[in-house]
Amino acid sequence: MRRHIEITTYVPCPVRCSYCPQSKLIKAYKGISILSFKMFTEALRNIPINVEIHFSAFSEPFLNKDIYTMIEYANTKGYRIIIYTTTRGLDVDRLKDTPFAEFNIHDIGNYKRVPYRTQINKVIAPISRAGNLWEREPKLQPLICPRSPTFEQNVMLPDGDVYLCCMDWSLKHKLGNIFKTHFNNLNREKQYELCRYCEVSHR
């Protein structure tokens, strides 16, 4: 997969999908709730153009009213844009002329018709989200993350804090703050405790 940063536009998420450990996020996160358009543009100053922008992360992105201007701005700057959405809050007409690298819809029972090819993610048997949904026995070391062996697929919260990945719902592995640190210089290590509980990682 390409290097990317997942943008959390809104906390907490009221959709409450059964496979989402939202309660862990609410307990751990003490920052601002809404990412403004101005803050998003400031964040992009520290994100290289070859890093994909994923509007997804820890909440439904379209619950933020500024999401459309964020998408338009990132598109004009030349970023590849990927969407993951439940369609809650989605205004299809505002995106009909917008190009996306991918547009993914989570299957939670209801869809809206979108004006471009979509990829439907059907969640049938939810994984534990690295032990955040239910307890898991840790795996043996050493571990490799096939999705991000260099840990360059991170998650940004509205206050700019960047965490390891989309499995870090309890916010245990903070890498830095994108308003203060360039994406390439975030404090990535070689091994994380979270990886020992993640279904994605393998020996």
Side-chain angles (χ1 to χ4, degrees):
M1 294 181 70
R2 296 170 181 264
R3 298 195 307 165
H4 71 247
I5 187 165
E6 300 182 18
I7 308 296
T8 307
T9 68
Y10 187 96
V11 176
C13 180
V15 180
R16 302 299 174 91
C17 301
S18 62
Y19 49 86
C20 175
Q22 195 69 207
S23 60
K24 293 287 184 72
L25 176 64
I26 292 171
K27 183 177 180 180
Y29 182 61
K30 307 303 179 184
I32 61 174
S33 296
I34 301 173
L35 176 69
S36 70
F37 172 68
K38 183 176 183 295
M39 295 172 69
F40 176 71
T41 62
E42 292 175 358
L44 287 190
R45 294 177 183 175
N46 279 332
I47 301 174
I49 196 66
N50 64 343
V51 174
E52 287 181 341
I53 303 298
H54 290 206
F55 289 100
S56 55
F58 295 139
S59 69
E60 167 54 57
F62 288 100
L63 293 174
N64 185 321
K65 64 181 178 59
D66 287 338
I67 182 68
Y68 302 98
T69 50
M70 293 180 197
I71 291 172
E72 291 169 2
Y73 183 79
N75 185 49
T76 61
K77 290 295 182 179
Y79 289 92
R80 280 172 53 93
I81 302 170
I82 291 181
I83 303 290
Y84 288 87
T85 178
T86 63
T87 73
R88 178 74 68 87
L90 172 62
D91 183 348
V92 172
D93 291 337
R94 294 190 65 176
L95 297 176
K96 61 183 180 180
D97 297 320
T98 305
F100 295 100
E102 290 181 27
F103 195 103
N104 302 282
I105 299 178
H106 290 294
D107 182 359
I108 58 170
N110 296 298
Y111 309 114
K112 292 182 180 180
R113 185 181 299 277
V114 293
Y116 22 70
R117 186 165 57 184
T118 63
Q119 177 178 333
I120 306 298
N121 291 329
K122 293 188 176 181
V123 180
I124 299 173
I127 60 176
S128 78
R129 295 298 190 270
N132 282 290
L133 279 180
W134 58 78
E135 294 295 326
R136 286 184 56 83
E137 291 294 325
K139 297 180 182 182
L140 298 176
Q141 306 261 10
L143 296 170
I144 299 172
C145 181
R147 293 186 180 177
S148 183
T150 54
F151 302 112
E152 292 181 313
Q153 295 180 13
N154 310 130
V155 174
M156 188 190 92
L157 286 162
D159 63 358
D161 283 348
V162 179
Y163 289 86
L164 180 61
C165 72
C166 62
M167 298 295 183
D168 197 1
W169 290 89
S170 297
L171 306 184
K172 293 183 178 179
H173 301 295
K174 181 179 173 179
L175 307 182
N177 187 288
I178 203 66
F179 299 133
K180 302 174 182 178
T181 306
H182 192 274
F183 179 86
N184 293 337
N185 297 327
L186 291 170
N187 186 27
R188 300 180 180 92
E189 300 173 359
K190 293 183 179 180
Q191 196 68 249
Y192 292 91
E193 180 69 13
L194 179 72
C195 302
R196 300 181 65 236
Y197 296 88
C198 184
E199 291 88 348
V200 174
S201 299
H202 60 71
R203 294 171 60 187

